[in-house]
Amino acid sequence: MRKSRLALLTGNRGFFGQTRKPWVSMDVAKMVRVFEAAGLKPEVMPFHAVVNGVADVRDAVVFYAFSQKPNLRQYIIDTIRFLDNGTNFIVPRYDLLLCHENKGYQELFKRRLGIESLASFFFSGADDLSGYPVPFPVVLKSVDTSNGEGVFLVRNEAELVKRIRGLERQSLATRLDLFRRKYLRRKKQHPYYPDYDNRTDCLQYRDYIRKERNFILQEFAPGLTWDWRVQAMAGKYYVIRRRTFKNDFRASGTKLHEFSREADPALLDFADGIFRKMDAPFLSMDIGKTAKGYCLFEFQALHFGVNSVIKSPGYHSRDGSAWRFTEARSEIETEIASGLVRYLDGREPDRG
Ligand SMILES: Nc1ncnc2c1ncn2[C@@H]1O[C@H](COP(=O)(O)OP(=O)(O)O)[C@@H](O)[C@H]1O
Ligand SMILES: [Mg+2]
């Protein structure tokens, strides 16, 4: 699925995250050299040039950078939606952009692709819960956090509501302002609103400014002392086993990593199955295990952490019906660019 053009969309000053940290860019010139060696003609351009009509992108493969900064994230989403017009081939596709750092849409997209994994619910506030048969214990995740920060195990409904309220907690300044509105304001009269009363107004205002957070509830995979991060790079699979802290079910954010030269073929089969359904060149998967087999906690198709690739002693790949480990030191720009080329070469042109 090669198009004549390859548009590489970057942030300002050619920024293409991420490497060591989200604020450190990849070396785009290095990627360009790999694309050129593969016979492609990459055109590097910033998002703003596309948005403002300076660059005209059509009939192109569009491969794009990402940013976690809220304004840039929205700018990128707007730009990619604009380019997703039937002439361009967006990599990774728009749905996967929406999945990024949005565990709620991830659950919807998994359902659309028929990926059966852990049962889940997706809500926009605690008030929506009533009437749904939530099985406890359950894992609560705010949709937009990482490193295990918004992930909690909750054992009953009271604990769940308390946690959700905790996610909505207002700043000290706002809490002081609410106190002032409730107790310290002079009694006021509004001639056109005779029912006005300071206390009612304050309570209505408090509900109005409540910082509701979207969240998912995901079936709990009990008893795990580690999970697996499997990073798929167009046919290469890098595997890390991540241990949890003692007395904590979360492996993300602990930094207790082991690279696996040996991996359970069933784990690789599971990761490979998910990867193929997602139809992307790259996919980072957080995987656990239940009595029923492997399960997917979350995934990212872009702007993933790169340590799993560059610190790994090598990668797994399919060898007929078996799996083979290849010793290799990998450089992220080369893996990204050559992975994209492999993906495009292996792809039929009829993505639905
Ligand atoms: N449904 C679950 N059952 C058991 N453990 C889970 C579940 N979901 C997540 N975890 C654990 O919590 C960690 C963080 O969850 P994850 O969904 O990956 O969010 P984050 O974006 O914070 O990394 C995972 O690495 C895993 O160890
Ligand atoms: Mg994770």
Side-chain angles (χ1 to χ4, degrees):
M1 172 70 191
R2 290 196 182 202
K3 294 226 178 210
S4 49
R5 297 178 69 189
L6 169 62
L8 292 181
L9 269 53
T10 71
N12 295 344
R13 295 180 292 281
F15 192 91
F16 205 120
Q18 62 172 322
T19 55
R20 185 179 59 82
K21 292 284 182 189
W23 53 88
V24 186
S25 175
M26 289 194 275
D27 182 344
V28 174
K30 208 179 255 178
M31 285 161 63
V32 164
R33 284 198 291 278
V34 178
F35 287 130
E36 285 174 348
L40 293 170
K41 293 193 187 71
E43 298 165 47
V44 181
M45 59 193 81
F47 287 102
H48 65 75
V50 176
V51 169
N52 296 296
V54 176
D56 183 20
V57 179
R58 65 181 87 175
D59 296 318
V61 170
V62 175
F63 185 59
Y64 53 99
F66 187 72
S67 172
Q68 275 150 322
K69 292 178 75 169
N71 68 316
L72 292 179
R73 180 191 153 86
Q74 193 54 51
Y75 198 71
I76 292 167
I77 287 176
D78 291 346
T79 314
I80 296 301
R81 184 69 195 93
F82 172 70
L83 290 178
D84 195 10
N85 58 8
T87 78
N88 296 310
F89 184 68
I90 309 290
V91 185
R93 58 172 141 167
Y94 182 66
D95 281 300
L96 287 170
L97 171 57
L98 293 191
C99 284
H100 192 75
E101 314 228 316
N102 183 349
K103 293 183 173 68
Y105 192 63
Q106 284 183 26
E107 293 300 317
L108 290 174
F109 192 55
K110 276 198 284 191
R111 197 195 305 162
R112 196 168 99 194
L113 295 182
I115 295 174
E116 281 184 33
S117 196
L118 302 165
S120 70
F121 298 91
F122 175 21
F123 292 115
S124 66
D127 296 345
D128 306 346
L129 287 166
S130 64
Y132 286 95
V134 176
F136 290 98
V138 77
V139 179
L140 163 68
K141 305 185 183 183
S142 57
V143 297
D144 56 355
T145 44
S146 56
N147 290 327
E149 274 162 25
V151 176
F152 308 96
L153 183 62
V154 286
R155 281 155 227 283
N156 52 52
E157 192 166 335
E159 214 178 291
L160 174 58
V161 172
K162 203 169 143 202
R163 279 288 185 203
I164 295 168
R165 295 281 176 248
L167 292 171
E168 294 170 353
R169 196 170 166 77
Q170 295 285 10
S171 69
L172 181 63
T174 305
R175 280 182 282 142
L176 287 173
D177 180 50
L178 287 171
F179 184 84
R180 178 191 66 79
R181 284 167 180 266
K182 199 164 166 186
Y183 298 111
L184 307 180
R185 280 202 294 194
R186 265 192 298 120
K187 202 168 161 49
K188 278 198 286 192
Q189 304 253 306
H190 281 285
Y192 296 104
Y193 301 97
D195 295 341
Y196 177 86
D197 144 69
N198 273 348
R199 190 184 156 80
T200 311
D201 180 71
C202 173
L203 294 178
Q204 288 171 334
Y205 176 70
R206 189 191 63 188
D207 280 350
Y208 177 68
I209 62 163
R210 208 161 83 195
K211 290 196 297 189
E212 287 182 325
R213 298 275 295 272
N214 293 356
F215 61 88
I216 64 165
L217 301 174
Q218 194 176 63
E219 183 185 336
F220 177 49
L224 293 175
T225 45
W226 61 74
D227 77 353
W228 293 268
R229 159 66 59 90
V230 178
Q231 176 69 49
M233 305 287 287
K236 299 181 180 180
Y237 293 83
Y238 298 79
V239 180
I240 303 182
R241 206 169 77 149
R242 308 185 301 181
R243 264 186 294 139
T244 60
F245 283 127
K246 234 182 170 172
N247 302 324
D248 194 329
F249 71 105
R250 293 167 296 186
S252 156
T254 61
K255 297 201 164 70
L256 304 169
H257 295 169
E258 295 163 22
F259 290 93
S260 311
R261 284 187 167 80
E262 269 138 50
D264 179 5
L267 169 68
L268 295 168
D269 286 342
F270 175 80
D272 187 42
I274 303 272
F275 175 66
R276 284 168 195 275
K277 284 189 180 154
M278 294 275 173
D279 184 13
F282 316 112
L283 195 70
S284 166
M285 292 164 268
D286 290 355
I287 295 175
K289 200 175 185 184
T290 67
K292 286 185 277 177
Y294 289 101
C295 56
L296 184 61
F297 293 145
E298 65 155 350
F299 60 89
Q300 282 165 350
L302 63 160
H303 207 257
F304 37 79
V306 300
N307 282 343
S308 50
V309 174
I310 62 166
K311 293 189 182 173
S312 176
Y315 57 86
H316 303 263
S317 57
R318 273 205 184 279
D319 186 6
S321 58
W323 287 95
R324 179 164 50 104
F325 183 79
T326 306
E327 299 276 339
R329 281 283 158 206
S330 305
E331 196 188 50
I332 194 63
E333 289 86 353
T334 309
E335 290 309 315
I336 294 271
S338 61
L340 180 62
V341 172
R342 278 200 302 283
Y343 168 75
L344 294 174
D345 284 347
R347 218 185 157 287
E348 298 299 317
D350 61 342
R351 177 157 77 196

